[in-house]
Amino acid sequence: MATEAPEQAPPADGIQSLSISEPPPSSSSNPTIQMSLEEKYQMMRSVAEECIQDDELRNLLAHKPEPICYDGFEPSGRMHIAQGVMKTINVNKMTSAGCRVKILIADWFAQLNNKMGGDLKKIETVGHYMIEIWKAAGMNLDNGKVEFVWSSEEINARSHEYWPRVMDIARKYTVKRMTRCGQIMGRNELDDINVAQILYPCMQCADIFFLQADICQMGMDQRKVNVLAREYCDDIKKKNKPIILSHHMLPGLKQGQEKMSKSDVSSSIFMEDEEAEVNLKIKKAYCPPNVVEGNPCMEYVKYLILPWFNEFIVERSEKNGGNKTFKSFEELAADYESGELHPTDLKSALSKALNKILEPVRTHFKNDKTAKKLLQSVKNYRVTR
């Protein structure tokens, strides 16, 4: 992938500790430690539940010093911990492995998806609010390897490159093929189809080439459109395809909720939730004793707490087994399945760890005037879809 020149649009006719309980130091005072190829590969692979393809990822890391990783988000309301904490962890892993990360603020996509009633001013406000969250949460933005790109600005500036690509993708695929990608908008194939559900995946597929991405790093819910981009490479005879790193989808707090949704405020933990709110939501969360599979509390420890702190500390009385520090999820799962760890103690420790992560965010939105104003505006907006 490193040897291929950036493809043109169709004609128009270093390893740092991932314990980031404190904001990461600036790159000037703590330069990235050089990593071996295997260390880079393992770091990148730890981001993803699925990789398409592993051999291509190894080859990319071996031949390109700074691969470009692409992620995108719709500014669509308050940010929950799946977007805030997990994205911070993943971005910091990718930059520590030497990648450059382009995060697309998909304002036009949010408008297409009727977020914030399609009001671009509101969507822009939500976008700025989300960036403030990641700054406060500890996303490492000091090393210059993370770039926030507004889709409307980039498309308008380079429309002669962008729209021919979108049109070329649209010409090559059927309506049926595009509607199969409806999941990327948070909708399924049984929903009433509107034109946006056809245009949206054409544009998102084009974004990958427009931003010259080597790696698509998104959730499993975006897998279909990323696979479409690889299929498109076959159609245009492009040798080096974008590598897909699909991360796990964090569930909601209620039983059977496979994906956290901000539309159900009682089942989502938001990045600026007060300590008491976090405690209450975790207390009410689905957490069956001795059951690990499908247990959201266990998943939060696995995908948020352990990657953040490199450990999970459970404090309890001597009568109930005394304090214990878990260094791996396997160790935690064994204790929970056997009954050695009770749901009440798990929840108490989880609440404490989450609040420790979220406290810098709460403090920022209370003390920074700009951030405080952004949050108040976002809270006043009605979430639409």
Side-chain angles (χ1 to χ4, degrees):
M1 186 165 294
T3 58
E4 182 171 302
E7 197 215 346
Q8 300 298 312
D13 293 2
I15 190 169
Q16 299 177 5
S17 170
L18 289 176
S19 179
I20 46 178
S21 53
E22 296 179 0
S26 67
S27 57
S28 59
S29 61
N30 188 6
T32 303
I33 298 172
Q34 291 297 314
M35 301 172 69
S36 68
L37 173 60
E38 183 61 24
E39 286 172 329
K40 287 182 179 180
Y41 170 76
Q42 292 298 336
M43 180 68 77
M44 296 297 292
R45 239 358 228 103
S46 71
V47 167
E49 187 169 76
E50 178 190 60
C51 175
I52 305 175
Q53 298 281 347
D54 282 300
D55 58 335
E56 294 176 19
L57 177 60
R58 283 185 183 276
N59 184 59
L60 172 69
L61 295 173
H63 294 96
K64 188 167 184 177
E66 291 190 332
I68 296 174
C69 299
Y70 155 69
D71 193 358
F73 70 96
E74 286 185 10
S76 58
R78 294 177 66 195
M79 183 186 289
H80 52 55
I81 56 173
Q83 286 180 303
V85 179
M86 186 177 283
K87 195 181 294 290
T88 297
I89 291 169
N90 289 345
V91 168
N92 286 356
K93 283 183 176 183
M94 291 187 289
T95 57
S96 71
C99 296
R100 305 193 72 85
V101 180
K102 291 186 178 182
I103 301 179
L104 186 71
I105 309 171
D107 49 359
W108 274 4
F109 291 83
Q111 187 179 42
L112 271 175
N113 212 0
N114 198 38
K115 299 301 172 65
M116 300 294 107
D119 187 325
L120 270 177
K121 288 290 185 182
K122 291 181 179 179
I123 291 169
E124 181 181 355
T125 297
V126 177
H128 286 296
Y129 147 83
M130 288 182 152
I131 293 173
E132 288 294 317
I133 292 247
W134 287 314
K135 288 179 181 177
M139 185 179 287
N140 192 352
L141 305 177
D142 294 332
N143 58 15
K145 289 190 174 183
V146 179
E147 180 184 1
F148 292 102
V149 180
W150 292 82
S151 64
S152 57
E153 292 179 2
E154 286 297 305
I155 292 170
N156 282 332
R158 297 160 54 203
S159 59
H160 62 290
E161 297 177 38
Y162 187 77
W163 292 115
R165 174 76 71 188
V166 174
M167 292 168 66
D168 192 54
I169 293 168
R171 284 192 309 109
K172 285 181 166 58
Y173 298 99
T174 65
V175 170
K176 184 178 181 180
R177 180 68 181 86
M178 285 300 164
T179 55
R180 293 213 317 263
C181 293
Q183 186 184 14
I184 66 176
M185 301 175 68
R187 305 169 192 275
N188 60 51
E189 295 174 43
L190 299 178
D191 292 334
D192 289 335
I193 299 297
N194 57 33
V195 176
Q197 285 174 264
I198 308 300
L199 182 59
Y200 193 111
C202 294
M203 291 174 63
Q204 186 172 326
C205 183
D207 288 341
I208 296 166
F209 303 94
F210 187 60
L211 297 175
Q212 298 181 356
D214 301 301
I215 298 170
C216 299
Q217 200 292 294
M218 299 179 179
M220 288 295 293
D221 60 338
Q222 304 297 301
R223 183 183 186 278
K224 289 181 179 180
V225 75
N226 292 330
V227 170
L228 177 69
R230 288 179 62 88
E231 292 177 10
Y232 177 66
C233 287
D234 291 331
D235 289 330
I236 63 174
K237 305 297 188 290
K238 178 174 168 58
K239 180 180 178 182
N240 294 324
K241 302 177 182 181
I243 296 156
I244 305 172
L245 292 179
S246 302
H247 67 71
H248 179 75
M249 301 301 296
L250 208 63
L253 290 167
K254 297 178 181 178
Q255 183 176 6
Q257 289 183 321
E258 295 182 358
K259 178 182 175 182
M260 186 176 289
S261 171
K262 63 187 67 179
S263 61
D264 186 350
V265 296
S266 65
S267 70
S268 299
I269 295 175
F270 295 98
M271 292 296 291
E272 350 76 20
D273 272 350
E274 294 293 342
E275 182 176 349
E277 292 179 287
V278 174
N279 293 341
L280 181 60
K281 288 178 180 180
I282 294 296
K283 183 179 180 180
K284 292 182 175 181
Y286 176 66
C287 188
N290 311 103
V291 178
V292 172
E293 192 73 24
N295 185 329
C297 293
M298 290 293 288
E299 290 210 23
Y300 292 5
V301 177
K302 180 178 182 179
Y303 291 101
L304 301 178
I305 307 305
L306 283 170
W308 193 281
F309 296 111
N310 296 318
E311 63 183 17
F312 179 55
I313 301 173
V314 175
E315 296 177 346
R316 54 191 176 183
S317 67
E318 290 298 328
K319 178 183 176 181
N320 291 325
N323 297 346
K324 186 165 183 179
T325 299
F326 297 94
K327 294 291 187 178
S328 71
F329 183 74
E330 290 73 22
E331 182 187 8
L332 174 67
D335 267 25
Y336 194 76
E337 285 182 327
S338 70
E340 287 293 319
L341 179 60
H342 191 271
T344 301
D345 294 320
L346 171 68
K347 287 184 173 185
S348 177
L350 174 58
S351 295
K352 186 173 183 179
L354 283 173
N355 276 313
K356 191 172 183 181
I357 294 172
L358 298 181
E359 185 56 34
V361 179
R362 288 192 286 254
T363 300
H364 179 65
F365 279 87
K366 287 176 182 175
N367 297 336
D368 185 281
K369 291 182 179 178
T370 300
K372 188 175 183 178
K373 185 177 180 181
L374 285 169
L375 176 58
Q376 191 56 54
S377 295
V378 172
K379 282 185 173 181
N380 289 335
Y381 295 157
R382 184 171 66 90
V383 176
T384 59
R385 71 183 297 273

